[in-house]
Amino acid sequence: MLAAIAPMQGRQGGGVGPEGLLPRAEASRFASRLLETNAASGRAVAAIWIDVDRFRQLNDTFGHGCGDQLIGVLASRIQSVSPAGSHCFRMGIDEFLLLLTAESVTGTEQLAARIGQVLEQALSVQGVNVHVTASMGLHHSQPQELAERLLACADQAMFAAKRLGGNRFVWSDDDLARVSMGTDQTRRELAVASMLHQALQQGGLSLRYQPVLGMQGTVEAVEALMSCEVGGVAVSPAEFIPVAEKIGLIGKLGEWSLMEGIQCAARLHRRGLPTKVAINVSRAQLLSEGFLAALEGALLCADVPPQSVELELTESLFMEQSSTVQRNLQRIRETGVGLAIDDFGTGYSCLATLKDLPATKLKFDKAFIQCLPDDIRVLAIVRSMTDLAHFLGLVVVAEGVETEAQLRACEDAGLEATQGYLHARPMPENQLVSWLENHCHDH
Ligand code: C2E
Ligand code: CA
Ligand code: CA
C-alpha cells in the first residue's frame, strides 16, 4: 500500500514524506555531519538532487491526490536503488536529495542513471500508463566545503539539467571546473560517458554495416559497427568503447549490439538477402557466465541459422586464461556460430597457440594492410601468415583496404576476402539493403 502523503505547498515546504524520507529541514544539518565525518577519512560527499519533470502537468491532469501517491511510489523507487548508508530527503513537492559518501565519478553517474531507469518504469495512474522522467544535479564536495554550498551546487546542477530539456543528469559547475583543471582527456571522457548514458536511456545507439567482399566480388559477410549519436553529436566507437569499458557500460552496449546484429541478420534473410552478420564482442561479455544464454536466446528469438552469425574477438581474448572465457568460446563454436580473430597483427601474436584456437576466421588489422604493398616485410608476414592460417582451416580477411594496390596485394597473398572504404563505408541498415540488392544484381 502507498503511504498517504500530505500535499505540500511550494518548494520551501517542510513535512515528512513517505516512510524513510527525511524532511528538507534536516538536509543541511545532516550534510554538515556527513561532511565532517568524511573529512576525517579524506572522502568526498556526493549529492544528487532529483526533480521530477513536468510534475505540475501530472498533478493538474490527475489531481493532487494522485500526484501525492505518485510521489510516494517514486520515493520508494529511489530508495530501492540507493546504496546502504545513503540518505534521502524530500526537498519540495517533487524534489528529492540523496546524500552519500562518494565512491567515484563513475559510481555517482551509475547511481544517477539507475535512478533515472527506475523512475521511468511505467506507472498506471487511473488506467493511463505514465512514464516519469527526472532532471538530476550531481555534485561531489571539495575539502572544507560547507553544507550550504554542497546543497546549492547540486540544486544549481539540477536546474542546468532542466534547462537542457530534462531527463538527464548534469554535474555542477564546480565539478566541471575541477575536471577542466585536470587533463582534457578526463573532461572528454566525462562528456563521452554522459552521452553513452543518454544514448542508452533515450536511444541514440545504432549499428552500421560494412560489407566484406570475396575476391570474386561476392558478399562474404557484413560487419556490424556500433555508432552513438546524441543531440546531433556523433562519437566514434574507437572513442566510446574504451570509455564504456572503463565505466562498466560495455556489457550493456555489447548485449544491445548482439541482439540488434542478430535481428538484422534475420531481417536480411526474410528479405531474401541471406548475409552473415559479424558482431564485435568485448572481454566483459565473454567473462560473463550468461553470455551463451544471451547468444542462444537471441538466435532463437530472431529465428536465424547460427551460420548467419559470426563473432569478432581480439586475439588476446582467445588467449585469455579465464575458464569462463574458454568455456564460452568452446560453447559458441558448438552452436555453429563463427568466431573470427579480430585485429590480427596488433597484439603479441603468438603463432604457436594459433593452432589451438577455436576460430574459423582470421582478420588482418588495417594498420597492417595499410603498409601494403610497399613494405615488403609486412607483405612477407601477410603471405606466410595466410598460408599458416589456411593450413589450420581458417578463412583469411583483410580490413582497411582503401586502394586497388592493397586489394591486389591481398589477392596475391591468397586472402579470401577484403573489407574497407574501397568497397564501401559502414552504412545504416536501410542503405545496406539497397547496397546488397544492387550488388547481388551485378554479381
Ligand atoms: P574494428 O573491429 O577493427 O572495426 C573496423 C574499424 O575500421 C571500424 O571503425 C571501421 O569503420 C574502420 N574501417 C573500415 N574500413 C576502413 C578503411 O578502409 N580505412 C580505415 N581507416 N578505417 C576503416 P569504427 O567503426 O570506428 O570502430 C572502431 C572499433 O570499435 C572497432 O574496430 C571495434 O573494435 C570497436 N567496435 C565497434 N562496434 C563494436 C561493438 O558493437 N562492440 C564492441 N565490443 N566493439 C565495437
Ligand atoms: Ca571487428
Ligand atoms: Ca581492426
Side-chain angles (χ1 to χ4, degrees):
M1 276 302 287
L2 302 175
I5 309 157
M8 297 177 66
Q9 305 298 321
R11 225 175 162 238
Q12 297 302 322
V16 181
E19 234 175 306
L21 219 56
L22 301 158
R24 181 185 178 103
E26 297 273 324
S28 181
R29 201 162 5 144
F30 180 83
S32 293
R33 266 210 315 275
L34 191 59
L35 283 165
E36 222 173 273
T37 341
N38 280 27
S41 56
R43 299 169 80 182
V45 173
I48 304 183
W49 197 299
I50 308 155
D51 182 297
V52 179
D53 294 330
R54 285 172 286 279
F55 181 72
R56 181 184 294 266
Q57 199 184 336
L58 286 171
N59 233 354
D60 291 348
T61 314
F62 298 108
H64 289 270
C66 254
D68 287 346
Q69 288 217 333
L70 191 70
I71 288 294
V73 174
L74 300 179
S76 48
R77 285 185 179 178
I78 295 172
Q79 286 171 308
S80 72
V81 294
S82 301
S86 54
H87 289 79
C88 194
F89 300 84
R90 186 157 180 204
M91 304 304 279
I93 298 175
D94 57 345
E95 291 176 58
F96 306 93
L97 172 72
L98 204 61
L99 292 177
L100 63 156
T101 297
E103 294 294 339
S104 63
V105 166
T106 310
T108 304
E109 287 192 346
Q110 281 174 345
L111 176 57
R114 187 85 191 94
I115 292 172
Q117 270 169 10
V118 289
L119 292 185
E120 230 183 305
Q121 282 163 13
L123 260 168
S124 175
V125 183
Q126 293 169 1
V128 178
N129 261 353
V130 174
H131 291 268
V132 173
T133 61
S135 302
M136 287 179 260
L138 315 188
H139 175 62
H140 279 183
S141 67
Q142 277 179 283
Q144 274 111 47
E145 188 163 294
L146 295 175
E148 286 64 34
R149 173 130 199 105
L150 177 86
L151 302 192
C153 281
D155 192 14
Q156 162 263 319
M158 180 278 288
F159 273 111
K162 271 257 131 106
R163 277 197 301 275
L164 288 169
N167 192 15
R168 69 188 67 222
F169 60 75
V170 164
W171 282 95
S172 79
D173 286 344
D174 264 30
D175 295 272
L176 290 176
R178 229 176 308 154
V179 169
S180 72
M181 285 189 296
T183 61
D184 278 354
Q185 195 191 350
T186 337
R187 191 183 171 79
R188 176 70 192 161
E189 276 182 16
L190 265 183
V192 172
S194 274
M195 277 181 81
L196 282 176
H197 282 297
Q198 282 182 44
L200 271 170
Q201 280 171 17
Q202 301 158 17
L205 292 175
S206 62
L207 288 181
R208 288 170 186 270
Y209 300 88
Q210 188 178 34
V212 181
L213 296 190
M215 289 303 174
Q216 259 64 54
T218 50
V219 180
E220 209 270 331
V222 292
E223 178 176 2
L225 294 155
M226 217 188 290
S227 72
C228 171
E229 191 176 321
V230 173
V233 182
V235 227
S236 117
E239 184 172 18
F240 72 72
I241 296 282
V243 174
E245 276 166 355
K246 231 182 199 175
I247 64 173
L249 271 187
I250 188 70
K252 241 187 188 165
L253 291 187
E255 245 171 57
W256 178 84
S257 102
L258 185 71
M259 283 292 280
E260 183 61 23
I262 291 178
Q263 276 165 13
C264 173
R267 287 189 290 267
L268 293 176
H269 271 254
R270 284 201 294 273
R271 281 178 174 270
L273 297 164
T275 314
K276 184 156 59 183
V277 176
I279 303 162
N280 291 284
V281 173
S282 68
R283 182 168 181 272
Q285 284 173 279
L286 274 194
L287 272 171
S288 149
E289 294 281 357
F291 181 77
L292 204 89
L295 173 68
E296 285 178 333
L299 286 169
L300 209 68
C301 264
D303 191 22
V304 278
Q307 291 74 20
S308 323
V309 177
E310 188 169 72
L311 303 181
E312 298 196 1
L313 286 68
T314 56
E315 201 184 347
S316 57
L317 245 179
F318 276 98
M319 312 288 180
E320 181 90 36
Q321 292 303 307
S322 136
S323 56
T324 313
V325 169
Q326 288 306 326
R327 204 170 38 249
N328 274 335
L329 290 177
Q330 277 310 334
R331 290 171 64 195
I332 291 168
R333 281 302 302 128
E334 284 159 21
T335 62
V337 166
L339 274 180
I341 308 170
D342 203 2
D343 298 347
F344 188 76
T346 52
Y348 294 96
S349 310
C350 178
L351 306 183
T353 48
L354 208 54
K355 70 172 181 10
D356 301 319
L357 305 184
T360 46
K361 184 183 268 183
L362 184 142
K363 287 185 88 173
F364 277 113
D365 191 68
K366 57 178 174 292
F368 235 55
I369 298 306
Q370 285 168 358
C371 302
L372 295 180
D374 303 329
D375 191 327
I376 52 167
R377 292 197 313 178
V378 170
L379 192 61
I381 296 172
V382 170
R383 281 204 178 121
S384 47
M385 282 309 307
T386 303
D387 286 346
L388 176 62
H390 283 161
F391 185 71
L392 296 170
L394 301 175
V395 169
V396 186
V397 177
E399 64 170 33
V401 174
E402 293 181 357
T403 66
E404 290 287 350
Q406 288 164 354
L407 176 65
R408 270 197 305 279
C410 292
E411 192 172 15
D412 290 347
L415 273 73
E416 274 84 8
T418 54
Q419 171 184 1
Y421 297 164
L422 178 67
H423 304 309
R425 294 207 170 229
M427 55 193 127
E429 188 176 330
N430 57 347
Q431 278 176 33
L432 175 77
V433 168
S434 323
W435 190 95
L436 287 172
E437 280 164 355
N438 289 334
H439 192 84
C440 292
H441 191 258
D442 297 342
H443 283 84

Short mmCIF file of all heavy atoms in Angstrom, two decimals, residues 223 225 280 312 342-343 363 399, ligand 2:
data_model
loop_
_atom_site.label_atom_id
_atom_site.label_comp_id
_atom_site.label_asym_id
_atom_site.label_seq_id
_atom_site.Cartn_x
_atom_site.Cartn_y
_atom_site.Cartn_z
N GLU A 223 30.05 -6.52 -41.48
CA GLU A 223 30.43 -6.33 -40.07
C GLU A 223 29.55 -5.24 -39.46
O GLU A 223 29.38 -4.16 -40.03
CB GLU A 223 31.91 -5.93 -39.94
CG GLU A 223 32.27 -5.68 -38.47
CD GLU A 223 33.75 -5.38 -38.20
OE1 GLU A 223 34.55 -5.32 -39.15
OE2 GLU A 223 34.08 -5.21 -37.00
N LEU A 225 29.00 -2.39 -36.88
CA LEU A 225 29.82 -1.47 -36.09
C LEU A 225 28.89 -0.49 -35.39
O LEU A 225 28.00 0.08 -36.00
CB LEU A 225 30.80 -0.74 -37.00
CG LEU A 225 31.85 -1.66 -37.63
CD1 LEU A 225 32.38 -1.10 -38.93
CD2 LEU A 225 32.98 -1.92 -36.65
N ASN A 280 31.03 -7.52 -33.15
CA ASN A 280 32.19 -7.41 -32.25
C ASN A 280 31.79 -7.73 -30.82
O ASN A 280 30.75 -7.28 -30.35
CB ASN A 280 32.77 -6.00 -32.32
CG ASN A 280 33.40 -5.72 -33.66
OD1 ASN A 280 34.49 -6.19 -33.95
ND2 ASN A 280 32.69 -5.00 -34.52
N GLU A 312 33.34 -11.42 -33.60
CA GLU A 312 34.73 -10.99 -33.76
C GLU A 312 35.33 -10.68 -32.39
O GLU A 312 34.76 -9.90 -31.62
CB GLU A 312 34.79 -9.74 -34.66
CG GLU A 312 34.29 -10.02 -36.05
CD GLU A 312 34.69 -8.93 -37.05
OE1 GLU A 312 35.38 -7.96 -36.68
OE2 GLU A 312 34.32 -9.09 -38.23
N ASP A 342 40.01 -10.98 -34.48
CA ASP A 342 39.97 -9.61 -34.99
C ASP A 342 41.30 -8.92 -34.74
O ASP A 342 42.06 -9.32 -33.85
CB ASP A 342 38.85 -8.88 -34.23
CG ASP A 342 38.32 -7.69 -35.00
OD1 ASP A 342 38.77 -7.44 -36.12
OD2 ASP A 342 37.43 -7.00 -34.44
N ASP A 343 41.57 -7.86 -35.50
CA ASP A 343 42.76 -7.02 -35.27
C ASP A 343 44.05 -7.82 -35.26
O ASP A 343 44.98 -7.48 -34.53
CB ASP A 343 42.66 -6.27 -33.93
CG ASP A 343 41.48 -5.32 -33.89
OD1 ASP A 343 40.90 -5.07 -34.95
OD2 ASP A 343 41.15 -4.85 -32.79
N LYS A 363 41.29 -12.07 -39.18
CA LYS A 363 41.18 -10.77 -39.83
C LYS A 363 42.45 -9.96 -39.59
O LYS A 363 42.75 -9.61 -38.43
CB LYS A 363 39.98 -9.99 -39.28
CG LYS A 363 38.65 -10.51 -39.76
CD LYS A 363 37.51 -9.64 -39.28
CE LYS A 363 37.22 -8.52 -40.25
NZ LYS A 363 35.99 -7.77 -39.86
N GLU A 399 41.17 -6.13 -43.31
CA GLU A 399 40.29 -4.97 -43.10
C GLU A 399 41.07 -3.70 -43.44
O GLU A 399 42.31 -3.71 -43.49
CB GLU A 399 39.75 -4.93 -41.68
CG GLU A 399 40.79 -4.74 -40.61
CD GLU A 399 40.24 -4.47 -39.22
OE1 GLU A 399 39.18 -5.01 -38.89
OE2 GLU A 399 40.89 -3.74 -38.49
CA CA B 2 35.92 -6.05 -35.91
#
